[in-house]
Amino acid sequence: VTIPDANFVTWLQANVPSAMSGNQMDTTSLVVTTRTIIDVEDLGITNLNGIQYFDSLKTLDCGNKNLTVNPNGLTTLSILPSTLDSLICGNIGLTVLPLLPNSLKLLKCYSNQLNTLPLLPVNLFYLNCAGNQISSLPILPNNFKPSG
C-alpha cells in the first residue's frame, strides 16, 4: 500500500524497514502485523493512512509534546486497528475522531478542535478531552471511573 505522508514514510523506513520499499508498505509483513506500539509524536505527520494495517497495535501516540519543533498536524485520523487499547492524540488539530475500536481503554484527545466525541467504547476507563469545544459528552461506559 502507498503511504502518502513523507514523514510517516521516514518513520516506517526507520522502524519497520523490512516492510518498506520507498513509500510502499507490505501490509502482510510480520513487522507490520505484529507491532504493538507506535509512537510518532512531534514528527510533522499530517496523514496516518496505513496505520490500519498494524493488526496487533495496542498503543498509538500521535500527539504533540513540543509545538515548536515539528508538530503533527492531523485534522482527522485513519481507520484505527481493532486491537487498539490506548490512543494519545492530544494537541494535533483534530476536528473529528473516527469510530473508536471497542478494545479502546484510554483516550487522550485533549487540546484539539473537537466539537463532539463519537460513541465511546464500552471498555473505556480513561478519557482526557479537555481543551476542545465539546459542550456535552456522549454516554459514558458503565465501567468508566471518573478521576479527580
Side-chain angles (χ1 to χ4, degrees), residues 5-8 10-11 40-46 62-74 90-92:
D5 187 282
N7 292 325
F8 191 33
T10 299
W11 186 90
V40 291
E41 284 186 322
D42 301 309
L43 295 180
I45 294 171
T46 59
C62 57
N64 286 318
K65 283 186 182 172
N66 188 347
L67 291 175
T68 62
V69 178
N70 194 15
N72 291 332
L74 295 154
N91 211 18
I92 60 174

Side-chain angles (χ1 to χ4, degrees), residues 85-88 104-110 120-121 123-129 140-141 143-148:
D85 67 19
S86 298
L87 175 60
I88 300 122
L104 199 67
K105 296 176 183 174
L106 178 141
L107 174 59
K108 295 181 179 181
C109 57
Y110 54 86
L120 297 174
N123 293 317
L124 192 74
F125 69 84
Y126 181 91
L127 171 65
N128 180 346
C129 59
L140 297 174
N143 295 329
F144 190 81
K145 305 249 188 299
S147 60

Side-chain angles (χ1 to χ4, degrees), residues 13-29:
Q13 289 171 338
N15 290 275
V16 292
S18 62
M20 297 300 295
S21 178
N23 68 342
Q24 298 293 308
M25 183 174 71
D26 176 0
T27 61
T28 64
S29 171

Side-chain angles (χ1 to χ4, degrees), residues 63-122:
N64 286 318
K65 283 186 182 172
N66 188 347
L67 291 175
T68 62
V69 178
N70 194 15
N72 291 332
L74 295 154
T75 56
T76 61
L77 292 175
S78 303
I79 296 169
L80 298 170
S82 63
T83 54
L84 199 65
D85 67 19
S86 298
L87 175 60
I88 300 122
C89 55
N91 211 18
I92 60 174
L94 280 177
T95 57
V96 64
L97 281 170
L99 180 65
L100 299 171
N102 285 329
S103 57
L104 199 67
K105 296 176 183 174
L106 178 141
L107 174 59
K108 295 181 179 181
C109 57
Y110 54 86
S111 301
N112 280 298
Q113 305 298 317
L114 299 170
N115 292 314
T116 61
L117 291 176
L119 181 65
L120 297 174
V122 296

